[in-house]
Amino acid sequence: MKKKLLSVLLTGALAASMFVGCGTSTETTDTGAATGGDTATESTATAGGTKVGVAMPTKDLQRWNQDGANMQKELEAAGYTVDLQYASNDVQTQISQIENMINSGCNVLVVAAIEASSLGEAMDMASEAGIPVIAYDRLIMNTDAVSYYATFDNYKVGTVQGEYIEKELDLKNTSDNFTMEITAGDPGDNNAGFFYQGAMDVLQPYIDNGTITVKSGQTEFSDVATAQWATETAQSRMENILSSYYADGTDLDICLCSNDSTALGVENALAANYNGKYPIVTGQDCDIENTKNMIAGKQSMSVFKDTRTLASQVVKMVGQILNGEEVDVNDTETYNNGNAVIPSYLCDPVFADVNNYKELLIDSGYYTEDQLQ
């Protein structure tokens, strides 16, 4: 399945909307605690009359803590006041937080949705107020409120994972046969389908010709998806697969995992329930625990999405919106949110493994060596 066809099947979107800034606030709030979300006390006193609301899904995953921190740092350095909120993976909390941001005088909203199609009330309110919305990393579906989308090339993330497996096992040239199990992401996250399809478009031909066998038979996205990207859910499912299909001593050669939280669950299941040759395990985000596992040989690779790059791009887009300038985008075809195709900026992902993690993660200042001990 080609990338453009995938966009038609997975999404639908919107033309860029013009903005009208709303009023400003001079209070200090702890709206995370007030709305029942993750506590995040942020100054909301306006600097230069411009405030940006940043809605993040949860503090439970390391990557969202990094995204939020990077976003706040970059925006404040650019002179904006930031209202940063985390919603504890609760949709109603996120809706309330976004509505509070609108009422408190935010001029632009940056939203990483918990569920792509569940923010209708808040998006309607933003649209009525004329406040531009940048969908951050996860496309917000079925609304005309989204002006722009900033993310990494999500299809390419999966392609990188698939190509890593293809190269490591020399699938183009081998006469050997390999076993594989697939662990995909949250079905409520629009990106999860792109990750899955990007990898499967590389690996499906090898399944079709018998080079790769999925012993569980679970290959459809609906069969391999992991609600909320939960480590425990991925672990439980993999434990069942191992006991059902690999307890006879059959080696499991490939664990295609869409991100690091699901990979961690798979790795936990392997540690407790598997004694065969250790498989290739893919991941995404280069979380600290997964990077440690990569160094220890328990995970083969993780797609590195430098959120500092994404944060910088979003800050640039915020400034362009507020100044009435043309907003930088590099994709106007792929991401349809059900309403229209959303003008998007896609950053390039790369992979980290034991051979290059020091250069990518330590030398760049993303982590310190002590964090990976």
Side-chain angles (χ1 to χ4, degrees), residues 7 10 21 35 65 100 111 123 140 182 193 213 221 224 278 297 325-326:
S7 70
L10 293 178
T35 59
N65 290 304
N100 288 339
V111 179
M123 292 299 98
I140 304 170
I182 305 163
T213 300
F221 179 76
V224 300
Y278 203 81
E325 301 169 353
E326 182 178 353

Side-chain angles (χ1 to χ4, degrees), residues 222-294:
S222 58
D223 296 326
V224 300
T226 307
Q228 294 190 347
W229 302 92
T231 296
E232 297 79 7
T233 303
Q235 179 174 341
S236 177
R237 176 172 168 269
M238 182 53 68
E239 286 173 347
N240 289 334
I241 288 173
L242 291 172
S243 63
S244 299
Y245 301 100
Y246 298 90
D248 61 358
T250 299
D251 283 339
L252 174 55
D253 299 305
I254 307 162
C255 292
L256 172 62
C257 302
S258 286
N259 85 325
D260 279 354
S261 60
T262 57
L264 191 59
V266 167
E267 289 152 20
N268 292 342
L270 290 169
N273 300 277
Y274 179 72
N275 296 313
K277 179 183 176 182
Y278 203 81
I280 290 175
V281 181
T282 67
Q284 174 189 178
D285 292 329
C286 289
D287 287 350
I288 288 176
E289 289 305 312
N290 296 79
T291 304
K292 289 179 179 179
N293 278 354
M294 201 158 55

Side-chain angles (χ1 to χ4, degrees), residues 166-241:
E166 182 182 55
K167 180 178 179 182
E168 287 298 301
L169 298 178
D170 194 23
L171 295 180
K172 290 182 178 180
N173 303 304
T174 188
S175 59
D176 293 336
N177 301 104
F178 302 96
T179 56
M180 179 173 76
E181 298 297 337
I182 305 163
T183 306
D186 182 6
D189 181 347
N190 184 64
N191 291 348
F194 282 94
F195 302 147
Y196 163 85
Q197 198 63 57
M200 291 301 286
D201 281 353
V202 175
L203 299 175
Q204 187 66 50
Y206 300 109
I207 297 174
D208 294 341
N209 69 20
T211 301
I212 293 176
T213 300
V214 180
K215 290 198 68 180
S216 70
Q218 299 174 24
T219 59
E220 296 297 321
F221 179 76
S222 58
D223 296 326
V224 300
T226 307
Q228 294 190 347
W229 302 92
T231 296
E232 297 79 7
T233 303
Q235 179 174 341
S236 177
R237 176 172 168 269
M238 182 53 68
E239 286 173 347
N240 289 334
I241 288 173

Side-chain angles (χ1 to χ4, degrees), residues 261 328 346 351 354:
S261 60
D328 283 352
L346 310 182
F351 76 83
V354 72

Side-chain angles (χ1 to χ4, degrees), residues 61-75:
L61 294 182
Q62 176 192 316
R63 63 122 339 152
W64 295 119
N65 290 304
Q66 289 176 301
D67 281 67
N70 288 334
M71 186 75 57
Q72 182 176 15
K73 179 181 177 181
E74 291 273 353
L75 287 167

Side-chain angles (χ1 to χ4, degrees), residues 6 49 52 94 99 121 127 155 215 234 237 250 260 263 286 290 298-299 302 321 324 326 335 365 373:
L6 173 70
V52 180
Q94 187 166 58
E99 290 176 346
E121 299 171 39
S127 181
Y155 182 87
K215 290 198 68 180
R237 176 172 168 269
T250 299
D260 279 354
C286 289
N290 296 79
K298 298 177 182 179
Q299 182 167 324
S302 184
I321 290 170
E326 182 178 353
Y335 291 95
Q373 297 301 312

